Amino acid sequence: PDDDDDDASRDSGDSAGLDHVNADPRETAPVAWYVRSMHAAHKDRSGDARLPAMNLPADAEGDFEALRATPPTEQVMWVGQAGGGASAAGAAASDLVDKVATPTPGEKMFSFASPYARSFGTQLWTILVRSHRAHLRDVAYNCGRIGVLLVLYILFGIIYFDLDTSDEGGVQSMVAVVFMTTIFTGIICMNGVMPVRVRERSVSYRERSSFMYDGVPYAIAHAVMELPWVVLISFVTTLPLYFLVGMVPTAGSFFFHVLINVLVSYAFLSFGQMVACVCSTIQTAQAGTSAFIPIAFLFGGLYLPFPQIPVYWQWAYFINPVAFAIQSVIAPQFERRGCTGPYPTGDCPSITAFRGTYFEQIDTLNYVETKYDITYEGRWMAAVYLVIFCLGAQALHVLAGKYVNTVNR
């Protein structure tokens, strides 16, 4: 009886015969095994609401059931038949496969709006939180910047303590100390951010390639998270220097000086982030920024004022954040306060300037504006240009974070 049951199972196309202990259904009944697998997958997929539905023909269910009832012997492709043809069941199975695999006219395949599992806002918020925690844990990075600049600026304040600006030498010394202390903050921030950005860059590559986070929220998060730290660094380090040197002791002048310090520092930091994303190694990035600094100083307008720059190099002055720093931060330190007007009609501060062959008595603010080609009224416009430079550098940083991959080089 058992032998009769096994024979009956092998002669039928149901699941009992295909699961015989001594027979592989993929060999004895390949079409039935294939159709049964597709049928089971279709049923499982149809019952899952999270997955897109399979648009099968209306008679596909009946074709599945008909093939399941077909004996295995009629499903096998008989090579020995005349003309090398196939059985009717095999031809029916081929027709069914073609019918299922061929889309109907106008039908669209299922697709996703984004390759990422979460929205842009969710990605940005997650990376912001993670970057914030990373900054809090990286004590050496932030405390190192604050400590170095604080010691440096206190040293400047002691050297230039209560600077006298009643003569030409004193005015030039005030211009130099204001300029150098503003730019030093930017240089320290730029050199400090590059190793951090290069270290985080490998994480960004891995998560970008696995479609976990996009490169754009990664770059924006790092740019945004640096801003409060730059504000803190600029305020803490500028505070002792400002009053030790004897700059204008008013709240408006002090906070404007801090604002320019923040903008210049963030401009240099943004440039450093962009270079760190473009260069393949930290050594290459540091070499690039080392070349940028002297060029920025050369065309900044301090050592070579704008009127003395050759005409074919003056374009470098207008794209230079150092030049806008000079335009915005120097003139406010010589503003006319508590006086009736400029020399010679008023009693505002004036100096005796050497003109090569003679000496001239001139108003201090007029001397500074003429020598460095700046204006006191144009300080806010220079600040706007610094903001534009920051946005442009960060736009390049975001593009580099999304499209540049130094791993492939």
Side-chain angles (χ1 to χ4, degrees), residues 128-341:
L128 277 173
V129 173
R130 192 169 70 182
S131 299
H132 173 63
R133 292 174 180 172
H135 272 78
L136 294 178
R137 294 168 181 169
D138 198 349
V139 179
Y141 173 50
N142 292 303
C143 292
R145 293 187 293 180
I146 295 176
V148 169
L149 288 170
L150 192 60
V151 171
L152 181 64
Y153 286 174
I154 291 177
L155 181 61
F156 268 98
I158 295 174
I159 295 174
Y160 293 95
F161 179 74
D162 198 15
L163 190 60
D164 182 16
T165 59
S166 60
D167 56 7
E168 187 176 12
V171 170
Q172 292 181 355
S173 297
M174 177 63 77
V175 171
V177 69
V178 170
F179 168 75
M180 296 300 293
T181 52
T182 302
I183 301 302
F184 278 176
T185 308
I187 294 175
I188 295 296
C189 290
M190 179 179 65
N191 291 332
V193 77
M194 286 191 296
V196 176
R197 193 65 183 92
V198 170
R199 184 175 67 243
E200 294 290 337
R201 189 178 61 184
S202 59
V203 180
S204 174
Y205 290 161
R206 183 181 68 246
E207 295 183 344
R208 188 177 70 183
S209 62
S210 62
F211 295 100
M212 187 173 184
Y213 299 112
D214 191 15
V216 173
Y218 238 106
I220 294 177
H222 282 282
V224 171
M225 196 48 59
E226 287 287 350
L227 188 56
W229 287 99
V230 172
V231 174
L232 176 64
I233 292 170
S234 299
F235 182 82
V236 171
T237 58
T238 302
L239 182 62
L241 168 75
Y242 192 88
F243 295 102
L244 282 174
V245 173
M247 299 183 191
V248 178
T250 61
S253 298
F254 171 72
F255 285 109
F256 182 79
H257 187 84
V258 172
L259 173 64
I260 300 303
N261 199 297
V262 169
L263 293 177
V264 173
S265 302
Y266 196 71
F268 274 83
L269 183 141
S270 302
F271 182 80
Q273 288 181 323
M274 184 268 293
V275 173
C277 289
V278 171
C279 298
S280 57
T281 61
I282 182 61
Q283 292 80 8
T284 308
Q286 290 174 340
T289 54
S290 299
F292 166 75
I293 293 172
I295 295 175
F297 273 55
L298 179 62
F299 296 103
L302 180 64
Y303 304 111
L304 188 64
F306 179 74
Q308 301 178 19
I309 299 176
V311 177
Y312 47 85
W313 280 112
Q314 288 183 355
W315 61 268
Y317 178 87
F318 293 105
I319 63 171
N320 191 350
V322 175
F324 298 125
I326 292 176
Q327 294 179 32
S328 57
V329 81
I330 290 180
Q333 298 305 321
F334 303 97
E335 64 174 320
R336 302 184 181 99
R337 299 178 297 109
C339 55
T340 59

Side-chain angles (χ1 to χ4, degrees), residues 365-380:
L365 181 59
N366 288 340
Y367 169 81
V368 172
E369 291 179 338
T370 303
K371 181 176 179 61
Y372 300 104
D373 194 37
I374 60 177
T375 60
Y376 177 77
E377 292 77 12
R379 65 192 186 280
W380 284 106

